[in-house]
C-alpha cells in the first residue's frame, strides 16, 4: 500500500498534464482524476448549451433546469465568479447532460467552442427606482465582450439574450456580429418569454382559467410601454371589460417592477425568469431538432414594423428563426399601444446600435 500522500502527489502530477482547464480549476486533484477518467463525455446525441452568467440569480436556477432538459447533452457554465461551486453542485444531478464549469475571461474560449446554443443572463439587475435603461452603462459592455467571444469561438450558435435592457442589448449583439462578419438574424433572439409567462398567468387569474391553457401574444419590446400584450388575440378566445384590459395591460407591462419592488433591493425576477428562459431555450432546441410548428414570442431583427427590431411571434426551426409571424388584427386600444411602444423602442434600439458604431 502506498501512503495516501504519495498517491495524491501522483494524481496531482498526472492531472496537471492531462486535464483541460475546466477540470483543473476546482482544486481537488483526486476528484479531478476520477472525473477525467469517467466515461461521460456527452455530445453524441443532444445539444451543447452554454450559459454565460451562470452563477447569478437567473443563471443558477437556469443551469438546474437546463441540466434537466433531455435535449441537452453538454452544459457549459461560465461566469466571472463562483462557477466551480455551482458546477460541482449541479453536476451531481443524475440527469444526462455532462456539466463543465468555466471561470473568468481566460476560460471563455473553452466555454464557447462547439456550442449550439448560448444563453446570456450576465449583467447587473435593477434595484427599486431604476429603469432597465439605467443598466445600460454596465450591461452594454458585458454583452459586447461576450458577443465578441461568441463571434470568434462559436459563430454558428443560436443566442438567447436575457441581459437588460433587452431593447438595446439585442441591437448591440447584432452590431457586434455584423462587425465580425458572422451576423445571421435568424440566430439572435432577445428573450421576452417572461412577458408571455406573466401575461398567461395574469389573464388566467382574471378569466378563471388554468394558466397552462392560456396563450397571450406579447409583442414590441421588453420594457414598460414597449411590452404590448395583444389581449384581443388571447387563446382560448376571451373578452375583457375595459377595466380588465387596463388592469391586465398595466400589470403585464410592470410585472418586472412588481418583482423588483417586492425584492426591495435584492434584485429582480430570477426564478420566474429562469423558468421562462428554460421554456424558451427548450422551444429553440426542439426547433433545432426539427420539430415542426414551434411558435414563441421573441425580440428579433424584424421587418414587420418600420423598426429594425421588434418582439413578435416567431416560428423556430433547425436554423433558429424560420418565420416572423405578422402581428394579426389589432383593436383600437392595441393600435394606440403600438404607437407608444414604437416611439420608446426606436430610441432604445438606436442607443444600442450607436454604442457599437460610435
Ligand atoms: N429578459 C428578461 O426578461 C429578464 C428578466 C429578468 C432579469 N433580466 C436581466 O438579466 C440580468 C441578470 O440578472 P440576475 O438577476 O441573474 O443578476 P445577478 O447579478 O444575480 O447575476 C448576474 C451574473 O452575471 C455575472 N456576470 C457579470 N459580468 C459578467 C461577465 N462579463 N461575464 C460573465 N458573467 C458576468 C455575475 O457574476 C453574476 O453571476 C440582468 O441584466 C437583469 O436585468 C432579464
Ligand atoms: O424588471 C427587471 O428589471 C427584470 C426583468 O426585465 C423583468 O421583466 O422581470
Amino acid at each position: 500500500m502506498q501512503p495516501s500522500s504519495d498517491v495524491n502527489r501522483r494524481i496531482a502530477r498526472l492531472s496537471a498534464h492531462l486535464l483541460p482547464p475546466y477540470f483543473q480549476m476546482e482544486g481537488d486533484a483526486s476528484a479531478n482524476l476520477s472525473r477525467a477518467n469517467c466515461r461521460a463525455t456527452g455530445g453524441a446525441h443532444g445539444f451543447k448549451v452554454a450559459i454565460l452568467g451562470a452563477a447569478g440569480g437567473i443563471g443558477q436556477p437556469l443551469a438546474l433546469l437546463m441540466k434537466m432538459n433531455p435535449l441537452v447533452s453538454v452544459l457549459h457554465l461560465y461566469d466571472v465568479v463562483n462557477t466551480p461551486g455551482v458546477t460541482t453542485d449541479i453536476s451531481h444531478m443524475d440527469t444526462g447532460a455532462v456539466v463543465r464549469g468555466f471561470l473568468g475571461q481566460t476560460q471563455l474560449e473553452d466555454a464557447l467552442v462547439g456550442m449550439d446554443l448560448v444563453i446570456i443572463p450576465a449583467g447587473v439587475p435593477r434595484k427599486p427606482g431604476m429603469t432597465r435603461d439605467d443598466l445600460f452603462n454596465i450591461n452594454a459592455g458585458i454583452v459586447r465582450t461576450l458577443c465578441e467571444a461568441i463571434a470568434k469561438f462559436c459563430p454558428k450558435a443560436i443566442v438567447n439574450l436575457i441581459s437588460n435592457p433587452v431593447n438595446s442589448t439585442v441591437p448591440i449583439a447584432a452590431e457586434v456580429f455584423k462587425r465580425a462578419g458572422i451576423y445571421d438574424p435568424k440566430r439572435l433572439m432577445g428573450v421576452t418569454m417572461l412577458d408571455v409567462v406573466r401575461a398567461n398567468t395574469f389573464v388566467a387569474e382574471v378569466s378563471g382559467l388554468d394558466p397552462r391553457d392560456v396563450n397571450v401574444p406579447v409583442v414590441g419590446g421588453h420594457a414598460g410601454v414597449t411590452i404590448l400584450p395583444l389581449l384581443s388575440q388571447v387563446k382560448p378566445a376571451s373578452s375583457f371589460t375595459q377595466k380588465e384590459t387596463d388592469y391586465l395591460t398595466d400589470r403585464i407591462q410592470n410585472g418586472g417592477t412588481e418583482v423588483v419592488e417586492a425584492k426591495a433591493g435584492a434584485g429582480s425576477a430570477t426564478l420566474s425568469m429562469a423558468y421562462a428562459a428554460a421554456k424558451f431555450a427548450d422551444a429553440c432546441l426542439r426547433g433545432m431538432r426539427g420539430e415542426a410548428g414551434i411558435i414563441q414570442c421573441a425580440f428579433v431583427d424584424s421587418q414587420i414594423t418600420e423598426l429594425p427590431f421588434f418582439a413578435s411571434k416567431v416560428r423556430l426551426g433547425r436554423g433558429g428563426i424560420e418565420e416572423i409571424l405578422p402581428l394579426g388584427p389589432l383593436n383600437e386600444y392595441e393600435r394606440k399601444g403600438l404607437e407608444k411602444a414604437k416611439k420608446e423602442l426606436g430610441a432604445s434600439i438606436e442607443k444600442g446600435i450607436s454604442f457599437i458604431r460610435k
Side-chain angles (χ1 to χ4, degrees), residues 52-53 55-59 78-81 121-126 135 139 142 146 161-164 166 191-192 194 222 268-270 273:
L52 312 183
I58 297 167
Y78 172 82
D79 204 304
V80 291
V81 293
V124 291
R126 281 201 283 166
L135 306 172
N139 290 354
I142 292 174
L146 295 174
L161 189 41
I162 295 170
S163 318
N164 268 318
V166 167
V191 180
T192 56
L194 183 54
H222 179 66
S268 57
T270 53
M273 182 60 231

Side-chain angles (χ1 to χ4, degrees), residues 125-126 132 135 164 194-195 198 222 227 255-257 259-260 268-269:
R126 281 201 283 166
R132 292 176 183 83
L135 306 172
N164 268 318
L194 183 54
D195 301 316
R198 285 178 177 139
H222 179 66
I227 300 169
T257 306
V259 179
V260 168
S268 57

Side-chain angles (χ1 to χ4, degrees), residues 207-286:
S207 313
L209 295 167
D210 183 328
R212 290 169 294 187
D213 298 331
V214 178
N215 192 350
V216 186
V218 183
V219 303
H222 179 66
V225 296
T226 73
I227 300 169
L228 188 62
L230 300 181
L231 297 172
S232 65
Q233 296 181 23
V234 167
K235 291 212 171 87
S238 313
S239 61
F240 303 100
T241 64
Q242 189 56 50
K243 207 169 158 197
E244 287 169 337
T245 301
D246 288 340
Y247 164 80
L248 284 168
T249 304
D250 179 69
R251 185 135 188 240
I252 295 161
Q253 291 182 332
N254 295 301
T257 306
E258 184 178 323
V259 179
V260 168
E261 281 168 4
K263 290 200 174 181
S268 57
T270 53
L271 304 173
S272 52
M273 182 60 231
Y275 165 79
K279 192 172 177 181
F280 186 71
D282 179 66
C284 289
L285 295 175
R286 286 190 287 122

Side-chain angles (χ1 to χ4, degrees), residues 281-306:
D282 179 66
C284 289
L285 295 175
R286 286 190 287 122
M288 287 156 75
R289 187 179 60 169
E291 208 175 303
I294 313 254
I295 294 183
Q296 292 295 353
C297 291
F299 184 63
V300 298
D301 190 315
S302 167
Q303 287 168 5
I304 66 167
T305 71
E306 62 274 28

Side-chain angles (χ1 to χ4, degrees), residues 25-27 35 77 81-90 101-103:
M25 73 189 193
E26 288 171 19
R35 263 175 285 164
L77 305 182
V81 293
N82 297 340
T83 37
V86 174
T87 304
T88 304
D89 190 355
I90 298 253
F102 301 85
L103 184 62

